[in-house]
Amino acid sequence: MARYDLIIIGSGPAGLSAALTARNRNLNFLLFGSRNLSDKIAKAHRITNYLGLPDIAGADLEKVFRSQIDGAGIEIREERIGMVYSMGDYFTLQVGQEILEATAVILATGVSSGKPYPGEEELLGRGISYCATCDGNFYRGRPVAVISGSPSEETEAEFLSGICSQVLYFPLYPETPSLPENVTVIREKPNSIEKNEDSADTKVTLITDSGRYPVDCVFILRQTISPGKLVPGIAEENGHVAVDRKQATNLPGLFAAGDITGTPYQYMKAAGEGNVAALSAASWITKQKKES
Ligand SMILES: Cc1cc2nc3c(=O)[nH]c(=O)nc-3n(C[C@H](O)[C@H](O)[C@H](O)COP(=O)(O)OP(=O)(O)OC[C@H]3O[C@@H](n4cnc5c(N)ncnc54)[C@H](O)[C@@H]3O)c2cc1C
């Protein structure tokens, strides 16, 4: 299997800045993220504190970032990284059904808003999943529910509609979902998920403010999942990834940048940390290559 120098997870300001620096340092790298870069860029009304771009709308900042990334010939792979495992001197990453290897990884996945649903953490892997592409095939021919944080997750529900017997879709956003006809859109607020102790038929029940929905799996698709769930063994501090001034985490070769490392949540801070993380990753990769 080909091993990349670096894999960058996240296409917000931190991940994009890291990718530009990785390109300048001629690293063999991949960048994973979203087609709209980051909801936190697109949804910002007016930004007045980004150096060099005074008073700019979020949608326009997104265009400027995209044009710089395109100009540098950097491709964004629009897939979710499901898990990152430290193997000692390299990493394996799960992307759907695929496994990738990299010498270094930069986590630039931002922060997730909102608490986990009651039942979510206990039932993870036993009727709850964060990735339809990774786990959908386990529920072939079975009923599933999708709690979706943004329209960019609709492709995941579309994929499930082709293999599952029933897909119940709970959008947490105001836009009208554009989904195949066999997906049932339900505008109710999910409250909790329970294990079905007595039913051999379905595994869990999604409970909303006005209904109960027994299914085999609830896919919870958020823009970001917590660092501890993405990378087993990563050290956290007050809910954020603990890093030093080189943006290094406790796992050798793993760096983190942006909102994921803590407040202040700001574009400039995220972009600056992305730059430092990529330079630190470049030094780490050079050292690893010399040693092997
Ligand atoms: C409405 C709003 C207005 C704001 N206004 C300002 C402002 O005026 N000035 C300012 O300085 N800051 C502002 N901010 C804060 C700013 O948006 C954040 O600090 C900044 O976006 C953080 O950048 P980031 O790269 O760390 O993370 P994000 O921008 O959150 O990007 C994270 C990226 O990681 C991707 N991702 C997450 N998990 C995975 C995974 N498993 N696999 C692949 N990709 C993944 C996401 O899709 C996303 O692309 C605002 C925020 C909001 C919400």
Side-chain angles (χ1 to χ4, degrees), residues 10-11 13-14 34 37-38 49 80-81 223 258-259 265-267:
S11 54
S34 307
L37 305 185
S38 159
N49 64 345
R80 300 256 121 197
I81 301 283
Q223 285 274 298
D259 284 3
Y265 298 150
Q266 294 278 278
Y267 298 119

Side-chain angles (χ1 to χ4, degrees), residues 9-15 32-34 37-38 40-41 43-44 46-49 79-81 108-111 223-225 230 257-260 265-268 270:
I9 314 172
S11 54
F32 284 86
S34 307
L37 305 185
S38 159
K40 289 185 182 162
I41 301 173
K43 287 187 179 160
R46 295 222 74 83
I47 299 143
T48 54
N49 64 345
E79 288 158 289
R80 300 256 121 197
I81 301 283
T109 53
V111 278
Q223 285 274 298
T224 301
I225 59 173
L230 190 61
D259 284 3
I260 193 173
Y265 298 150
Q266 294 278 278
Y267 298 119
M268 292 282 288

